[in-house]
């Protein structure tokens, strides 16, 4: 890609952020590069399409990712961030507000995600998320993270019909409140065990050894979490890295449609 092409794309996305997201989202530095400079502690020999095929990448973070230098990370190729906000009906990530504000200051598009707890109803969890995550012009749509439990306090594994029914309650409630239907993040085992593809949602899929088209045959997706051991300048330690399915023009269009 020529320098002129990169400049035109960066200017276009900058104008989009200024118009669609309001003053809070006006970037303070050029929009991130489209040749991300990322590494990986555990690199994969991808059997099919590798993540580098996609030019737009971002991160998902929680309390375990502290001390992020957002302008440096953005310059290295971070184009978006999904930030853990809540879990269940009574837990908020202690770093959420810090990450949320610091990403905003750097002009990095960001959204909040909720980690599902199988021992609470969808309605309870939706109200907890709404209580703790601001409705903010320019933010990315919220995300529902659906996985099997890792908690000894709630080891249950409901059937797929129950999971989908309660998740639908959560998604509908957040859609009414934030004006955007949430994305759904999931893992291969959970997706298969609960027949999650039947859920009315835009998907963000985890696949760390092969392309989503191989791991989730026939499933449409927008984001691909391709590693949990990524290395990015400006971010201490390992970090989850995700690819957006599309080119810079597709990314600009998705932002125009899906920002709050």
């Amino acid at each position: 890609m020529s320098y002129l092409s990169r400049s035109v794309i960066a200017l276009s996305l900058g104008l989009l952020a200024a118009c669609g997201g309001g003053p809070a989202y006006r970037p303070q530095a050029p929009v991130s590069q489209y040749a991300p400079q990322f590494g990986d502690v555990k690199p994969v020999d991808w059997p099919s399409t590798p993540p580098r095929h996609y030019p737009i990448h971002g991160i998902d973070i929680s309390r375990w990712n502290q001390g992020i230098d957002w302008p440096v990370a953005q310059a290295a190729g971070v184009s978006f961030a999904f930030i853990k906000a809540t879990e269940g009906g009574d837990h908020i990530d202690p770093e959420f507000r810090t990450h949320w504000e610091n990403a905003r200051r750097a002009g990095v598009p960001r959204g909040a995600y909720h980690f599902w707890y199988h021992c609470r109803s969808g309605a309870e969890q939706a109200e907890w998320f709404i209580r703790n995550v601001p409705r903010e012009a320019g933010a990315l749509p919220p995300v529902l993270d659906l996985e099997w439990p890792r908690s000894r306090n709630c080891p249950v594994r409901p059937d797929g019909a129950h999971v989908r029914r309660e998740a639908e309650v959560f998604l509908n409630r957040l859609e009414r409140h934030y004006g955007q239907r949430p994305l759904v993040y999931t893992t291969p085992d959970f997706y298969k065990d609960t027949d999650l593809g039947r859920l009315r949602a835009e998907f963000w899929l985890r696949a760390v050894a092969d392309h989503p088209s191989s791991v989730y045959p026939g499933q449409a997706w927008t984001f691909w979490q391709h590693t949990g051991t990524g290395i990015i300048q400006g971010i201490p330690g390992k970090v989850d890295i995700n690819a957006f399915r599309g080119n810079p023009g597709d990314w600009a269009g998705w932002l125009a449609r899906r920002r709050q």
Side-chain angles (χ1 to χ4, degrees), residues 174-195:
L174 264 63
E175 183 176 13
R176 290 194 299 271
H177 182 79
Y178 294 100
Q180 286 285 357
R181 190 164 183 81
L183 298 162
V184 169
Y185 166 92
T186 196
T187 60
D189 58 340
F190 192 88
Y191 176 89
K192 187 177 299 183
D193 292 345
T194 62
D195 200 9

Side-chain angles (χ1 to χ4, degrees), residues 51-230:
R52 66 176 178 272
H53 173 79
Y54 301 97
I56 309 298
H57 291 253
I59 56 175
D60 61 278
I61 55 175
S62 67
R63 65 183 299 176
W64 307 113
N65 307 102
Q66 299 184 25
I68 296 175
D69 187 325
W70 286 93
V72 170
Q74 186 184 44
V78 171
S79 295
F80 59 87
F82 289 110
I83 302 168
K84 183 176 181 180
T86 53
E87 182 172 340
D90 56 8
H91 176 75
I92 183 166
D93 190 286
E95 291 296 310
F96 170 65
R97 292 185 176 89
T98 297
H99 287 324
W100 189 254
E101 178 60 19
N102 289 347
R104 182 196 66 80
R105 287 178 179 174
V108 175
R110 82 282 197 257
Y113 75 86
H114 174 82
F115 190 86
W116 188 258
Y117 188 67
H118 292 280
C119 294
R120 294 262 193 172
S121 71
E124 288 178 284
Q125 296 187 67
E127 293 310 316
W128 178 246
F129 184 90
I130 287 168
R131 190 186 310 174
N132 289 285
V133 177
R135 182 170 53 190
E136 184 175 300
L140 301 182
V143 177
L144 173 58
D145 179 344
L146 287 169
E147 308 175 38
W148 282 127
R150 296 174 296 192
S151 170
R152 286 177 293 182
N153 296 326
C154 181
V156 300
R157 289 189 168 221
D159 63 36
H162 177 88
V163 167
R164 295 192 306 273
R165 182 172 61 251
E166 291 301 316
E168 191 76 26
V169 171
F170 182 96
L171 298 173
N172 290 342
R173 179 68 182 93
L174 264 63
E175 183 176 13
R176 290 194 299 271
H177 182 79
Y178 294 100
Q180 286 285 357
R181 190 164 183 81
L183 298 162
V184 169
Y185 166 92
T186 196
T187 60
D189 58 340
F190 192 88
Y191 176 89
K192 187 177 299 183
D193 292 345
T194 62
D195 200 9
L196 204 61
R198 296 175 61 181
L199 199 61
R200 183 173 66 88
E202 184 175 11
F203 280 90
W204 166 17
L205 302 175
R206 177 176 174 82
V208 297
D210 202 350
H211 191 269
S213 62
S214 298
V215 181
Y216 305 83
Q219 177 60 57
W221 59 275
T222 300
F223 293 95
W224 168 21
Q225 186 187 73
H226 53 82
T227 183
T229 56

Side-chain angles (χ1 to χ4, degrees), residues 1 5-6 9-10 13 31-36 54-56 77 79 248 251:
M1 182 184 293
S5 298
R6 289 196 302 270
I9 291 169
L13 287 184
V31 173
S32 57
Q33 302 169 11
Y34 295 119
Y54 301 97
I56 309 298
S79 295
W251 175 237

